[in-house]
Structure formats: C-alpha cells, structure tokens
Amino acid sequence: MDFDPTTLNRALPLRDQIYQKIRNMIAVGRLKPGDPINEVAIAEALGISRTPVREAVKRISDEGLIKVLAQTGTYVAPISRADLEEAYVIRRALEMESARRAAPKFTASSAEAIEDNIAAHRLAISRGKYARAIQLDDVFHRTIAETSGFPMIWKAVDISKAQMDRGRYLAIPKPGYGEQTIKQHEAILDALKRQDAEGAALAMEHHLETSLHNAIEVAGELGAKVASSTNEAK
C-alpha cells in the first residue's frame, strides 16, 4: 500500500484523513477483495501512532468494506450481491425523495449548474478519465440534494453508497456504461426542469436500478475470475 506521510495535514484529524485514503483505495480497486490491511505497517509508513489508523479502520469496517477476523487478520471485504442490494435500497429511498423535493425548487441557475456538470462528465468519459467521471457523478447527485433543501440527504447517501462505489469503478470502463449514465442524468435533468416531481423521482429510480444491475454484473465477473485463479493455484 502506498502511504506517503507528506500527504498528511498535521493540523487536521489524522483518523479522518486515513479513513478517506483507505476507503478511496478500496472504492477504486487499488485495494482489492482479500487484500490485507496492516495497521502497524500503515502507522509506520506515515510516522504516526497506531491509534488514528485503528480508528479509521474501525470506521471503514462499520461500513462493511473491511472484515476483521479474530486470530486471522484484517482484510478488504469481498463485493457481495447482498451488500450491493442493501446500498441500493438505502440510496433509492433517499435519492428519489431528494429528486422529488428538488423539482419544485429547480431554477434556471440550478439547470445551468447541472448542464455544466453533465458536459464535464461526458468529456471525462470520452477521454477515459473514469475517476474524474465518478467524482462528477457524485457532484450531480449532491447538487440535487442541495437543491432539495435537505443537504444531509447526500451525507447519508455518501456513507451508505460505499459498496456501490466499488461496483461503479469496475463498471464504468466497460463500453457503453458511461454513456448510459449520461443519458440517464439527462432524463433526470429534463424532469427537474419541468418541475415534474414524480417524473424526476422515477427517472432517479431507473438510474440507480441500472447502476445496481451493472455493479452486480461486474462483481459477478470479478468473483468468477477470483474463483478461477484460486482453483488454478491449487
């Protein structure tokens, strides 16, 4: 694992920075299912005590991204269908309501902000900048939550969507997946511009359901590859 001590801001809580670092590495696939998480090695690499590392790992474990096995060790959790579906159920409920409440408050400036976001997202996809595309995807959803007048919705989503994030990073390079997301974002935007609350909610539901199906598909492919590699090694 690449932990550079120069990336830490000593004026900010270390546990929060380490949490973001490890969580992001898991989400983007730099830390893969089954990879060990060595708290002592991370602390030594960063030149800090083990306490903030242990606190960060505990927080990520609570989100289901890390498994702590007694007498065995700490490992990156597998991507399971059950975890993906649970994340989807939570996100669907919150974001459908977010879109529903944003619609009557949607203004020309709101539309312009999301149009700019979609344009930047499309460019990132065309250039193969997938990490940037996913960041812009998050901005799209966060902007709708902020427009709804309930910005805490996005904070709750951000915590619960970690499992779906792993699936998104696996799915987005596949041909057509990124373009599919753009079209669905445009459909949500069209409903919001019409101030069609139910239309926006349904468009959001369709979008998230597609994301779930894509994530399940690529997670299944990954699981098959891992199983095949394990069998070959025997």
Side-chain angles (χ1 to χ4, degrees), residues 66 72 85 136 138 143 154 163 173 189 218 233:
I66 287 176
T72 304
E85 289 180 344
L136 289 163
D138 284 347
T143 300
W154 177 251
Q163 296 292 352
L189 173 60
V218 295

Side-chain angles (χ1 to χ4, degrees), residues 22-67:
I22 298 175
R23 188 180 190 270
N24 184 65
M25 291 174 74
I26 293 172
V28 303
R30 289 180 61 192
L31 283 172
K32 295 178 172 53
D35 283 354
I37 303 293
N38 189 323
E39 295 178 12
V40 174
I42 294 171
E44 290 178 350
L46 293 173
I48 60 175
S49 73
R50 186 180 170 186
T51 299
V53 179
R54 184 170 59 248
E55 291 173 345
V57 168
K58 172 63 168 61
R59 185 175 169 189
I60 300 169
S61 174
D62 290 343
E63 294 181 12
L65 296 177
I66 287 176
K67 297 292 185 185

Side-chain angles (χ1 to χ4, degrees), residues 87-95 137 141 154 157 161 208:
Y88 162 72
V89 167
I90 295 169
R91 189 168 184 182
R92 178 183 61 184
L94 291 171
E95 293 216 60
D137 185 297
H141 290 271
W154 177 251
V157 168
K161 72 184 181 68
L208 295 175

Side-chain angles (χ1 to χ4, degrees), residues 105-116 143 147:
K105 301 176 182 178
F106 211 70
T107 63
S109 61
S110 302
E112 186 174 303
I114 289 186
E115 286 167 353
D116 289 346
T143 300
T147 303

Side-chain angles (χ1 to χ4, degrees), residues 94-162:
L94 291 171
E95 293 216 60
M96 285 183 70
E97 189 63 22
S98 175
R100 189 178 285 116
R101 289 178 177 268
K105 301 176 182 178
F106 211 70
T107 63
S109 61
S110 302
E112 186 174 303
I114 289 186
E115 286 167 353
D116 289 346
N117 170 273
I118 290 174
H121 192 167
R122 182 181 287 108
L123 183 61
I125 292 293
S126 70
R127 292 179 173 175
K129 297 184 180 295
Y130 300 122
R132 174 61 177 159
I134 286 176
Q135 290 174 350
L136 289 163
D137 185 297
D138 284 347
V139 171
F140 173 87
H141 290 271
R142 186 179 71 234
T143 300
I144 293 173
E146 290 170 350
T147 303
S148 77
F150 293 88
M152 284 296 293
I153 285 178
W154 177 251
K155 292 185 179 180
V157 168
D158 194 37
I159 292 171
S160 65
K161 72 184 181 68

